[in-house]
Amino acid sequence: MLCQQAAAGDIEAAEKLLWLHHARLLGLARRKIGVDWQGKLDPEDLLQEAYIDVLRSMSEFEARDSESFYRWASRIVDHKFIDQVRRFRRKKRDVAREQNTGRAGADGRETLLSQIMPDTTTPSQIMRQEDASAALMSCIAKLPDDYRIVVT
C-alpha cells in the first residue's frame, strides 16, 4: 500500500517507507563502509544524502512488491557510497592538500580552531565543528582576562 502511494508521488508515504526501512538501510551503509572507510565516511551522512535523492527521484520508483522500495533505495545508497568514496579519493590525491596551503591568518598564525578541526563537508561533521567551536569559545570566555588575551 505505501509502496503504491510512494510510487504515485506521495512524499509522506515515501518518508514513512524510509523510516520503516531505515534500520536495514543503515545496516547496509555500515556494511558498505566497513573497516576500510570507517572514520572517513559516516553511515548516517551517507543515508542522509541518499534520502535526499530518494525523495527527489520518487517519480522513477516502480512498486512491484513489498521489497521493491528497499531494493530501489538500497541501489541509491550504493551509488551514494561510490560517490563519497570517489570524492574522498579525489581529495586524497589533491596535491594542494598535501602541501602547506598557507591557511594562516593575517598575522601569520593559523586559528586554533582550524588546527584542531580540519575542513569538513558532511552535515554531521559541520555540526561537530560548530559544537567544538562553541565549546572552545565558552572555555575561552571563562578564562581570566590576561589568559584570554594570550589565547586569543
Side-chain angles (χ1 to χ4, degrees):
M1 176 86 165
L2 278 177
C3 284
Q4 286 82 12
Q5 291 172 337
D10 185 346
I11 297 299
E12 288 183 27
E15 289 174 351
K16 286 178 185 176
L17 282 170
L18 286 173
W19 281 115
L20 287 172
H21 294 285
H22 179 74
R24 287 176 67 193
L25 291 169
L26 183 59
L28 172 69
R30 286 185 175 137
R31 285 188 305 277
K32 286 277 185 200
I33 290 171
V35 294
D36 294 339
W37 295 102
Q38 193 174 14
K40 296 173 184 132
L41 301 177
D42 183 63
E44 289 287 346
D45 290 337
L46 177 64
L47 285 187
Q48 188 173 22
E49 287 186 27
Y51 287 175
I52 291 169
D53 282 0
V54 165
L55 295 174
R56 282 184 184 157
S57 59
M58 280 308 301
S59 62
E60 300 170 17
F61 171 62
E62 294 178 17
R64 295 186 181 142
D65 57 34
S66 62
E67 288 295 304
S68 59
F69 185 82
Y70 173 76
R71 287 191 306 271
W72 180 71
S74 65
R75 281 194 306 272
I76 293 174
V77 171
D78 288 340
H79 290 285
K80 279 297 164 187
F81 171 72
I82 291 167
D83 290 346
Q84 283 191 6
V85 167
R86 286 179 180 157
R87 190 177 322 134
F88 183 79
R89 286 183 175 158
R90 262 194 319 271
K91 284 182 181 181
K92 189 175 178 182
R93 287 192 308 257
D94 186 3
V95 176
R97 288 175 44 102
E98 296 177 16
Q99 297 175 352
N100 185 2
T101 58
R103 291 186 312 173
D107 59 357
R109 292 176 286 152
E110 288 185 304
T111 65
L112 179 59
L113 190 58
S114 69
Q115 289 177 354
I116 61 173
M117 296 292 290
D119 292 336
T120 57
T121 56
T122 65
S124 64
Q125 289 173 329
I126 291 169
M127 290 302 297
R128 284 193 292 264
Q129 183 178 17
E130 289 175 1
D131 289 345
S133 176
L136 181 62
M137 297 309 283
S138 174
C139 290
I140 290 172
K142 293 177 186 174
L143 291 172
D145 289 338
D146 51 339
Y147 285 32
R148 187 172 49 249
I149 291 169
V150 170
V151 170
T152 55

Short mmCIF file of all heavy atoms in Angstrom, two decimals, residues 89-128:
data_model
loop_
_atom_site.label_atom_id
_atom_site.label_comp_id
_atom_site.label_asym_id
_atom_site.label_seq_id
_atom_site.Cartn_x
_atom_site.Cartn_y
_atom_site.Cartn_z
N ARG A 89 38.62 10.04 -2.42
CA ARG A 89 39.86 9.73 -3.14
C ARG A 89 40.37 10.93 -3.92
O ARG A 89 41.58 11.13 -4.02
CB ARG A 89 39.65 8.54 -4.06
CG ARG A 89 39.59 7.24 -3.29
CD ARG A 89 39.45 6.06 -4.21
NE ARG A 89 39.51 4.82 -3.45
CZ ARG A 89 39.03 3.68 -3.86
NH1 ARG A 89 38.45 3.59 -5.04
NH2 ARG A 89 39.12 2.61 -3.11
N ARG A 90 39.46 11.72 -4.49
CA ARG A 90 39.88 12.94 -5.19
C ARG A 90 40.56 13.90 -4.24
O ARG A 90 41.59 14.47 -4.55
CB ARG A 90 38.67 13.64 -5.82
CG ARG A 90 38.47 13.35 -7.27
CD ARG A 90 37.49 14.30 -7.92
NE ARG A 90 36.31 14.64 -7.16
CZ ARG A 90 35.16 13.96 -7.17
NH1 ARG A 90 35.05 12.88 -7.92
NH2 ARG A 90 34.14 14.36 -6.46
N LYS A 91 39.99 14.08 -3.06
CA LYS A 91 40.59 14.96 -2.06
C LYS A 91 41.94 14.41 -1.62
O LYS A 91 42.87 15.16 -1.39
CB LYS A 91 39.67 15.11 -0.85
CG LYS A 91 38.51 16.00 -1.09
CD LYS A 91 37.69 16.13 0.17
CE LYS A 91 36.50 17.01 -0.04
NZ LYS A 91 35.72 17.15 1.19
N LYS A 92 42.01 13.11 -1.49
CA LYS A 92 43.25 12.48 -1.04
C LYS A 92 44.38 12.72 -2.04
O LYS A 92 45.52 12.90 -1.68
CB LYS A 92 43.02 10.98 -0.84
CG LYS A 92 44.16 10.26 -0.18
CD LYS A 92 43.78 8.81 0.08
CE LYS A 92 44.92 8.05 0.70
NZ LYS A 92 44.57 6.66 0.90
N ARG A 93 44.05 12.70 -3.35
CA ARG A 93 45.05 12.88 -4.38
C ARG A 93 45.39 14.35 -4.62
O ARG A 93 46.32 14.65 -5.35
CB ARG A 93 44.56 12.27 -5.69
CG ARG A 93 44.57 10.78 -5.70
CD ARG A 93 44.36 10.24 -7.08
NE ARG A 93 43.20 10.80 -7.74
CZ ARG A 93 42.04 10.18 -7.89
NH1 ARG A 93 41.88 8.98 -7.43
NH2 ARG A 93 41.05 10.76 -8.51
N ASP A 94 44.62 15.27 -4.05
CA ASP A 94 44.82 16.69 -4.28
C ASP A 94 46.17 17.11 -3.70
O ASP A 94 46.38 17.09 -2.50
CB ASP A 94 43.69 17.48 -3.64
CG ASP A 94 43.74 18.96 -3.96
OD1 ASP A 94 44.63 19.36 -4.72
OD2 ASP A 94 42.88 19.70 -3.44
N VAL A 95 47.09 17.50 -4.56
CA VAL A 95 48.45 17.87 -4.14
C VAL A 95 48.41 19.07 -3.20
O VAL A 95 49.19 19.15 -2.25
CB VAL A 95 49.33 18.18 -5.38
CG1 VAL A 95 50.70 18.65 -4.96
CG2 VAL A 95 49.43 16.95 -6.26
N ALA A 96 47.51 19.99 -3.42
CA ALA A 96 47.43 21.18 -2.58
C ALA A 96 47.13 20.81 -1.12
O ALA A 96 47.56 21.50 -0.21
CB ALA A 96 46.36 22.13 -3.10
N ARG A 97 46.40 19.72 -0.91
CA ARG A 97 46.10 19.30 0.46
C ARG A 97 47.32 18.71 1.15
O ARG A 97 47.39 18.69 2.36
CB ARG A 97 44.98 18.26 0.46
CG ARG A 97 43.63 18.83 0.15
CD ARG A 97 42.60 17.72 0.05
NE ARG A 97 42.70 16.73 1.10
CZ ARG A 97 41.92 16.67 2.16
NH1 ARG A 97 40.96 17.54 2.31
NH2 ARG A 97 42.06 15.72 3.06
N GLU A 98 48.27 18.21 0.38
CA GLU A 98 49.45 17.59 0.97
C GLU A 98 50.56 18.59 1.23
O GLU A 98 51.52 18.29 1.90
CB GLU A 98 49.94 16.47 0.05
CG GLU A 98 48.93 15.36 -0.08
CD GLU A 98 49.37 14.29 -1.04
OE1 GLU A 98 50.57 14.26 -1.38
OE2 GLU A 98 48.53 13.49 -1.45
N GLN A 99 50.45 19.77 0.69
CA GLN A 99 51.45 20.80 0.90
C GLN A 99 50.87 21.85 1.83
O GLN A 99 49.67 21.94 2.02
CB GLN A 99 51.83 21.45 -0.43
CG GLN A 99 52.47 20.48 -1.39
CD GLN A 99 52.72 21.12 -2.74
OE1 GLN A 99 52.30 22.23 -3.00
NE2 GLN A 99 53.40 20.40 -3.60
N ASN A 100 51.75 22.68 2.40
CA ASN A 100 51.29 23.77 3.23
C ASN A 100 50.54 24.75 2.35
O ASN A 100 51.10 25.34 1.43
CB ASN A 100 52.48 24.45 3.91
CG ASN A 100 52.03 25.52 4.88
OD1 ASN A 100 50.84 25.74 5.07
ND2 ASN A 100 52.99 26.19 5.48
N THR A 101 49.25 24.93 2.63
CA THR A 101 48.43 25.78 1.78
C THR A 101 48.42 27.23 2.23
O THR A 101 47.78 28.06 1.61
CB THR A 101 46.98 25.26 1.77
OG1 THR A 101 46.50 25.25 3.12
CG2 THR A 101 46.89 23.89 1.15
N GLY A 102 49.12 27.51 3.31
CA GLY A 102 49.16 28.89 3.77
C GLY A 102 47.82 29.39 4.27
O GLY A 102 47.44 30.51 3.98
N ARG A 103 47.10 28.58 5.03
CA ARG A 103 45.81 29.00 5.56
C ARG A 103 45.98 29.88 6.78
O ARG A 103 45.07 30.07 7.55
CB ARG A 103 44.97 27.78 5.94
CG ARG A 103 44.52 26.96 4.77
CD ARG A 103 43.58 25.88 5.22
NE ARG A 103 44.14 25.16 6.37
CZ ARG A 103 43.49 24.25 7.04
NH1 ARG A 103 42.28 23.92 6.73
NH2 ARG A 103 44.06 23.62 8.06
N ALA A 104 47.13 30.43 6.96
CA ALA A 104 47.40 31.23 8.15
C ALA A 104 46.60 32.52 8.10
O ALA A 104 46.25 33.02 7.04
CB ALA A 104 48.89 31.54 8.25
N GLY A 105 46.35 33.07 9.28
CA GLY A 105 45.62 34.32 9.37
C GLY A 105 46.50 35.49 8.96
O GLY A 105 47.64 35.34 8.52
N ALA A 106 45.97 36.69 9.13
CA ALA A 106 46.67 37.89 8.69
C ALA A 106 47.98 38.09 9.43
O ALA A 106 48.92 38.66 8.89
CB ALA A 106 45.76 39.11 8.89
N ASP A 107 48.07 37.60 10.66
CA ASP A 107 49.30 37.78 11.43
C ASP A 107 50.24 36.58 11.28
O ASP A 107 51.22 36.48 12.01
CB ASP A 107 48.98 38.03 12.90
CG ASP A 107 48.19 36.90 13.53
OD1 ASP A 107 47.85 35.94 12.81
OD2 ASP A 107 47.92 36.97 14.74
N GLY A 108 49.97 35.67 10.35
CA GLY A 108 50.87 34.56 10.08
C GLY A 108 50.60 33.31 10.89
O GLY A 108 51.29 32.34 10.78
N ARG A 109 49.59 33.33 11.73
CA ARG A 109 49.26 32.17 12.55
C ARG A 109 47.92 31.60 12.15
O ARG A 109 47.00 32.32 11.81
CB ARG A 109 49.19 32.56 14.03
CG ARG A 109 50.52 32.95 14.61
CD ARG A 109 50.36 33.41 16.03
NE ARG A 109 49.76 34.74 15.97
CZ ARG A 109 49.00 35.25 16.91
NH1 ARG A 109 48.74 34.57 17.99
NH2 ARG A 109 48.47 36.45 16.79
N GLU A 110 47.82 30.28 12.19
CA GLU A 110 46.53 29.65 11.94
C GLU A 110 45.66 29.81 13.17
O GLU A 110 46.17 29.87 14.29
CB GLU A 110 46.70 28.16 11.65
CG GLU A 110 47.31 27.84 10.32
CD GLU A 110 47.31 26.35 10.06
OE1 GLU A 110 47.85 25.62 10.90
OE2 GLU A 110 46.78 25.95 9.04
N THR A 111 44.38 29.85 12.97
CA THR A 111 43.50 29.93 14.13
C THR A 111 43.52 28.59 14.86
O THR A 111 43.76 27.54 14.25
CB THR A 111 42.05 30.25 13.72
OG1 THR A 111 41.56 29.18 12.93
CG2 THR A 111 41.98 31.56 12.95
N LEU A 112 43.27 28.63 16.13
CA LEU A 112 43.28 27.42 16.94
C LEU A 112 42.25 26.43 16.42
O LEU A 112 42.53 25.23 16.30
CB LEU A 112 42.98 27.78 18.40
CG LEU A 112 42.91 26.63 19.39
CD1 LEU A 112 44.25 25.87 19.41
CD2 LEU A 112 42.57 27.14 20.77
N LEU A 113 41.08 26.91 16.05
CA LEU A 113 40.03 26.02 15.57
C LEU A 113 40.43 25.33 14.27
O LEU A 113 40.18 24.15 14.08
CB LEU A 113 38.72 26.77 15.38
CG LEU A 113 37.50 25.93 15.12
CD1 LEU A 113 37.29 24.94 16.27
CD2 LEU A 113 36.28 26.78 14.92
N SER A 114 41.08 26.03 13.35
CA SER A 114 41.48 25.40 12.09
C SER A 114 42.57 24.36 12.31
O SER A 114 42.72 23.45 11.51
CB SER A 114 41.94 26.45 11.08
OG SER A 114 43.17 27.02 11.47
N GLN A 115 43.32 24.49 13.39
CA GLN A 115 44.34 23.48 13.69
C GLN A 115 43.72 22.21 14.25
O GLN A 115 44.18 21.11 13.94
CB GLN A 115 45.36 24.03 14.68
CG GLN A 115 46.26 25.08 14.10
CD GLN A 115 47.20 25.64 15.14
OE1 GLN A 115 47.11 25.33 16.32
NE2 GLN A 115 48.13 26.48 14.71
N ILE A 116 42.68 22.35 15.06
CA ILE A 116 42.12 21.15 15.69
C ILE A 116 40.96 20.55 14.91
O ILE A 116 40.64 19.40 15.09
CB ILE A 116 41.67 21.43 17.15
CG1 ILE A 116 40.58 22.50 17.20
CG2 ILE A 116 42.85 21.79 18.01
CD1 ILE A 116 39.98 22.69 18.57
N MET A 117 40.32 21.32 14.03
CA MET A 117 39.20 20.83 13.25
C MET A 117 39.48 21.08 11.77
O MET A 117 39.42 22.20 11.32
CB MET A 117 37.90 21.54 13.64
CG MET A 117 37.45 21.30 15.06
SD MET A 117 36.92 19.62 15.36
CE MET A 117 35.41 19.55 14.44
N PRO A 118 39.79 20.04 11.00
CA PRO A 118 40.06 20.23 9.58
C PRO A 118 38.81 20.64 8.83
O PRO A 118 37.71 20.61 9.37
CB PRO A 118 40.53 18.85 9.12
CG PRO A 118 39.89 17.91 10.08
CD PRO A 118 39.83 18.65 11.39
N ASP A 119 38.98 21.04 7.56
CA ASP A 119 37.83 21.39 6.72
C ASP A 119 36.86 20.22 6.68
O ASP A 119 37.25 19.07 6.61
CB ASP A 119 38.29 21.69 5.29
CG ASP A 119 39.11 22.96 5.21
OD1 ASP A 119 38.94 23.82 6.10
OD2 ASP A 119 39.90 23.10 4.28
N THR A 120 35.57 20.54 6.74
CA THR A 120 34.57 19.50 6.77
C THR A 120 33.58 19.69 5.63
O THR A 120 33.43 20.77 5.11
CB THR A 120 33.80 19.53 8.11
OG1 THR A 120 33.23 20.83 8.26
CG2 THR A 120 34.69 19.22 9.27
N THR A 121 32.92 18.58 5.27
CA THR A 121 31.97 18.66 4.17
C THR A 121 30.64 18.01 4.48
O THR A 121 29.66 18.34 3.85
CB THR A 121 32.55 17.98 2.91
OG1 THR A 121 32.90 16.63 3.24
CG2 THR A 121 33.76 18.69 2.40
N THR A 122 30.58 17.10 5.43
CA THR A 122 29.32 16.42 5.67
C THR A 122 28.53 17.14 6.76
O THR A 122 29.11 17.81 7.60
CB THR A 122 29.56 14.96 6.09
OG1 THR A 122 30.24 14.95 7.35
CG2 THR A 122 30.35 14.20 5.05
N PRO A 123 27.21 17.01 6.75
CA PRO A 123 26.39 17.70 7.75
C PRO A 123 26.77 17.37 9.19
O PRO A 123 26.85 18.26 10.03
CB PRO A 123 24.97 17.22 7.44
CG PRO A 123 25.01 16.87 5.99
CD PRO A 123 26.39 16.33 5.75
N SER A 124 27.03 16.09 9.48
CA SER A 124 27.37 15.75 10.87
C SER A 124 28.75 16.30 11.25
O SER A 124 28.97 16.71 12.38
CB SER A 124 27.32 14.24 11.09
OG SER A 124 28.28 13.59 10.32
N GLN A 125 29.67 16.35 10.30
CA GLN A 125 30.98 16.92 10.59
C GLN A 125 30.86 18.43 10.82
O GLN A 125 31.53 18.98 11.70
CB GLN A 125 31.96 16.65 9.44
CG GLN A 125 32.39 15.21 9.35
CD GLN A 125 33.22 14.94 8.09
OE1 GLN A 125 33.02 15.58 7.06
NE2 GLN A 125 34.11 13.99 8.18
N ILE A 126 30.01 19.10 10.05
CA ILE A 126 29.81 20.53 10.24
C ILE A 126 29.21 20.79 11.62
O ILE A 126 29.64 21.71 12.32
CB ILE A 126 28.92 21.10 9.12
CG1 ILE A 126 29.70 21.07 7.79
CG2 ILE A 126 28.46 22.52 9.44
CD1 ILE A 126 28.86 21.37 6.57
N MET A 127 28.23 19.96 12.02
CA MET A 127 27.62 20.14 13.35
C MET A 127 28.65 19.89 14.45
O MET A 127 28.69 20.63 15.44
CB MET A 127 26.43 19.19 13.52
CG MET A 127 25.22 19.57 12.67
SD MET A 127 24.61 21.23 12.98
CE MET A 127 24.12 21.10 14.68
N ARG A 128 29.50 18.87 14.29
CA ARG A 128 30.53 18.61 15.30
C ARG A 128 31.50 19.78 15.37
O ARG A 128 31.95 20.17 16.45
CB ARG A 128 31.27 17.31 14.99
CG ARG A 128 30.47 16.07 15.35
CD ARG A 128 31.32 14.82 15.33
NE ARG A 128 31.77 14.46 14.00
CZ ARG A 128 31.17 13.58 13.21
NH1 ARG A 128 30.08 12.98 13.63
NH2 ARG A 128 31.64 13.31 12.02
#
